[in-house]
PDB file of all heavy atoms in Angstrom:
ATOM      1  N   LEU A 516     -70.053  54.812 -11.484  1.00 89.00           N
ATOM      2  CA  LEU A 516     -69.865  55.660 -12.663  1.00 89.00           C
ATOM      3  C   LEU A 516     -69.462  57.074 -12.274  1.00 89.00           C
ATOM      4  O   LEU A 516     -68.583  57.669 -12.895  1.00 89.00           O
ATOM      5  CB  LEU A 516     -71.142  55.685 -13.501  1.00 89.00           C
ATOM      6  CG  LEU A 516     -71.380  54.386 -14.278  1.00 89.00           C
ATOM      7  CD1 LEU A 516     -72.688  54.453 -15.029  1.00 89.00           C
ATOM      8  CD2 LEU A 516     -70.233  54.124 -15.240  1.00 89.00           C
ATOM      9  N   VAL A 517     -70.100  57.589 -11.247  1.00 88.00           N
ATOM     10  CA  VAL A 517     -69.735  58.944 -10.805  1.00 88.00           C
ATOM     11  C   VAL A 517     -68.286  58.964 -10.335  1.00 88.00           C
ATOM     12  O   VAL A 517     -67.494  59.833 -10.714  1.00 88.00           O
ATOM     13  CB  VAL A 517     -70.688  59.412  -9.678  1.00 88.00           C
ATOM     14  CG1 VAL A 517     -70.143  60.664  -9.016  1.00 88.00           C
ATOM     15  CG2 VAL A 517     -72.068  59.673 -10.246  1.00 88.00           C
ATOM     16  N   ALA A 518     -67.917  57.967  -9.543  1.00 90.00           N
ATOM     17  CA  ALA A 518     -66.544  57.906  -9.038  1.00 90.00           C
ATOM     18  C   ALA A 518     -65.564  57.798 -10.194  1.00 90.00           C
ATOM     19  O   ALA A 518     -64.535  58.488 -10.232  1.00 90.00           O
ATOM     20  CB  ALA A 518     -66.389  56.720  -8.087  1.00 90.00           C
ATOM     21  N   LEU A 519     -65.871  56.944 -11.167  1.00 91.00           N
ATOM     22  CA  LEU A 519     -64.987  56.776 -12.313  1.00 91.00           C
ATOM     23  C   LEU A 519     -64.870  58.068 -13.109  1.00 91.00           C
ATOM     24  O   LEU A 519     -63.781  58.461 -13.521  1.00 91.00           O
ATOM     25  CB  LEU A 519     -65.507  55.671 -13.235  1.00 91.00           C
ATOM     26  CG  LEU A 519     -65.162  54.246 -12.845  1.00 91.00           C
ATOM     27  CD1 LEU A 519     -65.721  53.278 -13.881  1.00 91.00           C
ATOM     28  CD2 LEU A 519     -63.655  54.075 -12.752  1.00 91.00           C
ATOM     29  N   LEU A 520     -66.001  58.729 -13.308  1.00 91.00           N
ATOM     30  CA  LEU A 520     -65.987  59.977 -14.082  1.00 91.00           C
ATOM     31  C   LEU A 520     -65.093  61.017 -13.408  1.00 91.00           C
ATOM     32  O   LEU A 520     -64.215  61.604 -14.033  1.00 91.00           O
ATOM     33  CB  LEU A 520     -67.419  60.512 -14.223  1.00 91.00           C
ATOM     34  CG  LEU A 520     -67.559  61.877 -14.885  1.00 91.00           C
ATOM     35  CD1 LEU A 520     -67.116  61.808 -16.328  1.00 91.00           C
ATOM     36  CD2 LEU A 520     -68.987  62.385 -14.818  1.00 91.00           C
ATOM     37  N   PHE A 521     -65.316  61.207 -12.113  1.00 90.00           N
ATOM     38  CA  PHE A 521     -64.519  62.205 -11.388  1.00 90.00           C
ATOM     39  C   PHE A 521     -63.038  61.890 -11.482  1.00 90.00           C
ATOM     40  O   PHE A 521     -62.213  62.746 -11.768  1.00 90.00           O
ATOM     41  CB  PHE A 521     -64.939  62.243  -9.910  1.00 90.00           C
ATOM     42  CG  PHE A 521     -66.134  63.115  -9.649  1.00 90.00           C
ATOM     43  CD1 PHE A 521     -67.074  63.349 -10.642  1.00 90.00           C
ATOM     44  CD2 PHE A 521     -66.340  63.696  -8.402  1.00 90.00           C
ATOM     45  CE1 PHE A 521     -68.178  64.143 -10.410  1.00 90.00           C
ATOM     46  CE2 PHE A 521     -67.435  64.505  -8.165  1.00 90.00           C
ATOM     47  CZ  PHE A 521     -68.357  64.725  -9.159  1.00 90.00           C
ATOM     48  N   ARG A 522     -62.707  60.645 -11.208  1.00 92.00           N
ATOM     49  CA  ARG A 522     -61.290  60.284 -11.175  1.00 92.00           C
ATOM     50  C   ARG A 522     -60.650  60.315 -12.553  1.00 92.00           C
ATOM     51  O   ARG A 522     -59.495  60.697 -12.706  1.00 92.00           O
ATOM     52  CB  ARG A 522     -61.104  58.904 -10.524  1.00 92.00           C
ATOM     53  CG  ARG A 522     -60.940  58.940  -9.034  1.00 92.00           C
ATOM     54  CD  ARG A 522     -59.809  59.846  -8.592  1.00 92.00           C
ATOM     55  NE  ARG A 522     -58.522  59.427  -9.144  1.00 92.00           N
ATOM     56  CZ  ARG A 522     -57.556  60.243  -9.498  1.00 92.00           C
ATOM     57  NH1 ARG A 522     -57.700  61.537  -9.369  1.00 92.00           N
ATOM     58  NH2 ARG A 522     -56.436  59.781  -9.993  1.00 92.00           N
ATOM     59  N   THR A 523     -61.422  59.911 -13.585  1.00 92.00           N
ATOM     60  CA  THR A 523     -60.851  59.920 -14.938  1.00 92.00           C
ATOM     61  C   THR A 523     -60.530  61.350 -15.358  1.00 92.00           C
ATOM     62  O   THR A 523     -59.461  61.626 -15.900  1.00 92.00           O
ATOM     63  CB  THR A 523     -61.846  59.292 -15.928  1.00 92.00           C
ATOM     64  OG1 THR A 523     -62.296  58.061 -15.384  1.00 92.00           O
ATOM     65  CG2 THR A 523     -61.200  59.027 -17.265  1.00 92.00           C
ATOM     66  N   LEU A 524     -61.465  62.250 -15.086  1.00 91.00           N
ATOM     67  CA  LEU A 524     -61.224  63.645 -15.463  1.00 91.00           C
ATOM     68  C   LEU A 524     -60.024  64.207 -14.707  1.00 91.00           C
ATOM     69  O   LEU A 524     -59.186  64.913 -15.255  1.00 91.00           O
ATOM     70  CB  LEU A 524     -62.458  64.496 -15.157  1.00 91.00           C
ATOM     71  CG  LEU A 524     -63.678  64.188 -16.013  1.00 91.00           C
ATOM     72  CD1 LEU A 524     -64.816  65.135 -15.671  1.00 91.00           C
ATOM     73  CD2 LEU A 524     -63.343  64.277 -17.487  1.00 91.00           C
ATOM     74  N   ASP A 525     -59.947  63.859 -13.434  1.00 90.00           N
ATOM     75  CA  ASP A 525     -58.827  64.307 -12.611  1.00 90.00           C
ATOM     76  C   ASP A 525     -57.511  63.741 -13.135  1.00 90.00           C
ATOM     77  O   ASP A 525     -56.525  64.461 -13.274  1.00 90.00           O
ATOM     78  CB  ASP A 525     -59.032  63.779 -11.187  1.00 90.00           C
ATOM     79  CG  ASP A 525     -59.249  64.892 -10.216  1.00 90.00           C
ATOM     80  OD1 ASP A 525     -59.486  66.024 -10.677  1.00 90.00           O
ATOM     81  OD2 ASP A 525     -59.196  64.626  -9.004  1.00 90.00           O
ATOM     82  N   ALA A 526     -57.539  62.442 -13.411  1.00 92.00           N
ATOM     83  CA  ALA A 526     -56.305  61.758 -13.811  1.00 92.00           C
ATOM     84  C   ALA A 526     -55.826  62.261 -15.160  1.00 92.00           C
ATOM     85  O   ALA A 526     -54.629  62.283 -15.421  1.00 92.00           O
ATOM     86  CB  ALA A 526     -56.521  60.247 -13.848  1.00 92.00           C
ATOM     87  N   PHE A 527     -56.726  62.680 -16.013  1.00 93.00           N
ATOM     88  CA  PHE A 527     -56.304  63.154 -17.326  1.00 93.00           C
ATOM     89  C   PHE A 527     -55.507  64.452 -17.198  1.00 93.00           C
ATOM     90  O   PHE A 527     -54.694  64.766 -18.049  1.00 93.00           O
ATOM     91  CB  PHE A 527     -57.510  63.377 -18.243  1.00 93.00           C
ATOM     92  CG  PHE A 527     -57.115  63.646 -19.676  1.00 93.00           C
ATOM     93  CD1 PHE A 527     -56.720  62.615 -20.504  1.00 93.00           C
ATOM     94  CD2 PHE A 527     -57.091  64.937 -20.180  1.00 93.00           C
ATOM     95  CE1 PHE A 527     -56.325  62.851 -21.802  1.00 93.00           C
ATOM     96  CE2 PHE A 527     -56.693  65.193 -21.479  1.00 93.00           C
ATOM     97  CZ  PHE A 527     -56.304  64.144 -22.292  1.00 93.00           C
ATOM     98  N   ARG A 528     -55.765  65.175 -16.132  1.00 90.00           N
ATOM     99  CA  ARG A 528     -55.051  66.452 -15.978  1.00 90.00           C
ATOM    100  C   ARG A 528     -53.859  66.324 -15.050  1.00 90.00           C
ATOM    101  O   ARG A 528     -53.397  67.310 -14.491  1.00 90.00           O
ATOM    102  CB  ARG A 528     -56.026  67.505 -15.466  1.00 90.00           C
ATOM    103  CG  ARG A 528     -57.126  67.816 -16.478  1.00 90.00           C
ATOM    104  CD  ARG A 528     -58.194  68.653 -15.852  1.00 90.00           C
ATOM    105  NE  ARG A 528     -58.667  67.982 -14.641  1.00 90.00           N
ATOM    106  CZ  ARG A 528     -59.365  68.583 -13.704  1.00 90.00           C
ATOM    107  NH1 ARG A 528     -59.672  69.846 -13.823  1.00 90.00           N
ATOM    108  NH2 ARG A 528     -59.758  67.918 -12.645  1.00 90.00           N
ATOM    109  N   VAL A 529     -53.359  65.122 -14.857  1.00 92.00           N
ATOM    110  CA  VAL A 529     -52.270  64.888 -13.902  1.00 92.00           C
ATOM    111  C   VAL A 529     -51.107  65.839 -14.186  1.00 92.00           C
ATOM    112  O   VAL A 529     -50.685  66.005 -15.316  1.00 92.00           O
ATOM    113  CB  VAL A 529     -51.817  63.410 -13.940  1.00 92.00           C
ATOM    114  CG1 VAL A 529     -51.411  62.989 -15.336  1.00 92.00           C
ATOM    115  CG2 VAL A 529     -50.688  63.170 -12.962  1.00 92.00           C
ATOM    116  N   PHE A 530     -50.641  66.501 -13.128  1.00 93.00           N
ATOM    117  CA  PHE A 530     -49.572  67.485 -13.289  1.00 93.00           C
ATOM    118  C   PHE A 530     -48.568  67.424 -12.128  1.00 93.00           C
ATOM    119  O   PHE A 530     -47.396  67.111 -12.336  1.00 93.00           O
ATOM    120  CB  PHE A 530     -50.173  68.894 -13.394  1.00 93.00           C
ATOM    121  CG  PHE A 530     -49.143  69.972 -13.542  1.00 93.00           C
ATOM    122  CD1 PHE A 530     -48.648  70.300 -14.783  1.00 93.00           C
ATOM    123  CD2 PHE A 530     -48.652  70.654 -12.435  1.00 93.00           C
ATOM    124  CE1 PHE A 530     -47.676  71.276 -14.938  1.00 93.00           C
ATOM    125  CE2 PHE A 530     -47.688  71.628 -12.574  1.00 93.00           C
ATOM    126  CZ  PHE A 530     -47.208  71.940 -13.830  1.00 93.00           C
ATOM    127  N   ASP A 531     -49.049  67.698 -10.925  1.00 92.00           N
ATOM    128  CA  ASP A 531     -48.163  67.897  -9.766  1.00 92.00           C
ATOM    129  C   ASP A 531     -47.147  66.774  -9.586  1.00 92.00           C
ATOM    130  O   ASP A 531     -45.955  67.021  -9.439  1.00 92.00           O
ATOM    131  CB  ASP A 531     -48.957  68.002  -8.458  1.00 92.00           C
ATOM    132  CG  ASP A 531     -50.205  68.830  -8.597  1.00 92.00           C
ATOM    133  OD1 ASP A 531     -50.857  68.737  -9.656  1.00 92.00           O
ATOM    134  OD2 ASP A 531     -50.547  69.546  -7.654  1.00 92.00           O
TER     135      ASP A 531
END
Side-chain angles (χ1 to χ4, degrees):
Chain A
L516 286 177
V517 168
L519 278 181
L520 174 65
F521 276 27
R522 271 305 300 146
T523 311
L524 293 183
D525 245 13
F527 190 77
R528 295 170 306 164
V529 56
F530 179 85
D531 318 38

